[in-house]
Amino acid sequence: MRYAFALAKRDMVVRTDGQPFTPDDLEKLKHLADSHLAEKENDFCAIELKPDTQLPPEYGFKTIREAFALLDGEDNYRLARARALLSWHSGHRFCARCGSPLTWAEGVSAKKCEKCDSVLFPRIEPCMIVLVSKGDEILLARHAQRNSDVYSCLAGFIEVGESAEHAVAREIFEETGIHVKNIRYRGSQSWPFPDQLMLAFTAEYESGEIKVQEDEIANAGWFRREDCPATPKPGSIAYKLIHNEI
Ligand SMILES: [Zn+2]
């Protein structure tokens, strides 16, 4: 394998001398791992470190999000895939149909149940994220429970039976009381914390006054791009939407 990742929830291990982290480094840390996997077709191996692992001095942590901001294309894909597969592995150890322990399937990143022959593939949760504009202003909101230190685009899970566009219009109205038009798809990003696929949209204000859903949103408002409060750091698709990069 050419690529190696040692992960700990939202962090990844890097070498403190600035050199790339290699499969040899991974071997040295394997005794600290809870689980591991390898994917021949994507040329990587990965481990999940035990909680609160103390690293040897030649290694340190950096957030996966920071890495996303620096990597592109295939490198980003491998890292996101490693993160998502390790999370899926730890959360899917038993068959949903009969309750028997699952094992890795041969030659494919899936799990199988020996007892009832079920094969389970990793799941993706589709989510939408949207930047709403009104003339020169954009709609940003501060979440009540998570990431409450920044203002960001509105986002949410796409519910059963919905199209992505339906979810965009519903979520904006539920969280802020605003109706939108001209919903346009702009791009996507794997967000493996643990298994989201973020579908990014822009939309234009149509009608309504801001009235936030208080259990979800602490505050929301219209801001000029050059006069925004603290917003998400690079590495997320929210950053790209807000900074007009997609
Ligand atoms: Zn089964």
Side-chain angles (χ1 to χ4, degrees), residues 24-35:
D24 288 341
D25 293 306
L26 189 136
E27 279 303 316
K28 287 180 200 160
L29 299 178
K30 235 176 183 170
H31 67 287
L32 301 170
D34 244 353
S35 58

Side-chain angles (χ1 to χ4, degrees), residues 95 97-100 113 115-118:
C95 177
R97 187 176 290 167
C98 77
S100 302
C113 173
K115 199 169 176 193
C116 75
D117 282 338
S118 293

